[in-house]
Amino acid sequence: MVQDLPPIMGFARRVDPDRFFATLFAPPAKRDALCVLIAFNHELARAREAASHPMAALIRLQWWRDALEEAASGQPPRRHEVAEPLHALIRAGTLSAAELTALVDAREAEVAEEGIPTEPALQAYLRAGAGGLAVAMGRVLGVPGAALPGVQALGAGYGLAGVLRSVAAHAAQGRCLLPLDALAAHGLSPEAVIADPTAAAPVVQALARAGLAALPRARVPSAAALPGVLARRDLARLAAGQAVPVPRGFGDRLAMVWAGLRGRG
């Protein structure tokens, strides 16, 4: 199923294997657009990961805002492996520049030097970012409007699991995305977590338990919701103080295959 992939699909598979795997359960005609969204999301994530300073990250995010605005206004595409197919999908009406701009805006929470202040602020960031990406994918797949809030909640849950399983990786980059109020409740600061990521274990477990409880129980029949299968499994592991396997094990893939074959996330 994944041999000799088109470039954008190969890119998506390399940078985001979980979401890419979910696209294999979408109609073939929709997979390119889904992979462009995955690649775009990766580029936004890299804005902070690859930047040496928050201002440099903001400049990268503004580059993408400008590219989206140019696509919406019919200007020529920028020469970039992701910006060009993104431009084409916006011009074709497959993707909304305004909706994608909201994904750019959501990433500013990662850039703020003061950190994410509260758990509600973290939830808002996840709903707009990972949840917004899931909604954009759902629109490509024709998910009914009434089902999109469920898709968004599952996407946000997957995003939360990503934040929690990446505490050590973020610390290595000199940053912490755990909310300040949750850290303070355990006598911690972002600096303490950056110095010793294992100190954040009780915060990670508490946030994972809350995230697991917030995941919708109703199943959503769309490949856009399939990462929610992994969100439930990952949050359960993290709540129990267990690591998320890297790379994914057979059990995770089988759970997604089973859900995908039933046409449900």
Side-chain angles (χ1 to χ4, degrees):
M1 295 177 70
V2 293
Q3 299 300 315
D4 301 320
L5 294 173
I8 196 63
M9 293 184 71
F11 184 101
R13 183 192 185 194
R14 184 172 68 255
V15 303
D16 194 340
D18 287 349
R19 290 190 178 97
F20 170 78
F21 193 72
T23 69
L24 300 181
F25 297 92
K30 304 289 188 179
R31 290 176 191 163
D32 275 3
L34 296 176
C35 286
V36 170
L37 281 170
I38 291 170
F40 173 60
N41 182 66
H42 171 72
E43 291 295 321
L44 298 184
R46 286 188 68 250
R48 183 62 185 93
E49 292 172 1
S52 58
H53 188 275
M55 183 55 68
L58 290 173
I59 292 171
R60 286 172 178 264
L61 292 178
Q62 187 58 47
W63 190 95
W64 283 104
R65 282 195 192 89
D66 293 344
L68 294 171
E69 182 179 343
E70 289 162 7
S73 62
Q75 298 180 52
R78 297 187 173 201
R79 294 180 62 84
H80 185 279
E81 63 181 330
V82 177
E84 288 183 278
L86 195 69
H87 183 284
L89 289 168
I90 291 169
R91 296 308 305 157
T94 304
L95 298 177
S96 161
E99 194 167 59
L100 299 182
T101 299
L103 297 183
V104 181
D105 295 342
R107 290 288 177 173
E108 290 198 356
E110 300 176 5
V111 178
E113 292 190 75
E114 63 274 17
I116 297 176
T118 64
E119 288 189 49
L122 174 66
Q123 293 162 7
Y125 152 68
L126 294 169
R127 285 195 302 271
L133 173 64
V135 168
M137 295 175 75
R139 291 194 196 281
V140 169
L141 294 169
V143 173
L148 287 176
V151 171
Q152 184 178 34
L154 290 168
Y158 180 77
L160 173 63
V163 168
L164 298 182
R165 68 175 183 258
S166 300
V167 169
H170 290 155
Q173 298 167 0
R175 60 195 184 112
C176 175
L177 294 183
L178 300 177
L180 301 183
D181 61 350
L183 291 173
H186 289 83
L188 295 170
S189 66
E191 293 75 18
V193 174
I194 291 169
D196 178 14
T198 63
V203 180
V204 168
Q205 288 182 262
L207 291 172
R209 285 193 295 269
L212 191 60
L215 284 179
R217 302 304 307 183
R219 297 187 182 275
V220 181
S222 169
L226 275 179
V229 172
L230 297 177
R232 198 175 302 279
R233 293 172 67 87
D234 288 354
L235 291 172
R237 290 174 175 125
L238 292 162
Q242 301 169 0
V244 175
V246 180
R248 292 280 178 190
F250 178 73
D252 284 346
R253 291 301 185 209
L254 183 61
M256 286 192 76
V257 168
W258 175 242
L261 292 177
R262 290 185 297 159
R264 295 177 178 271

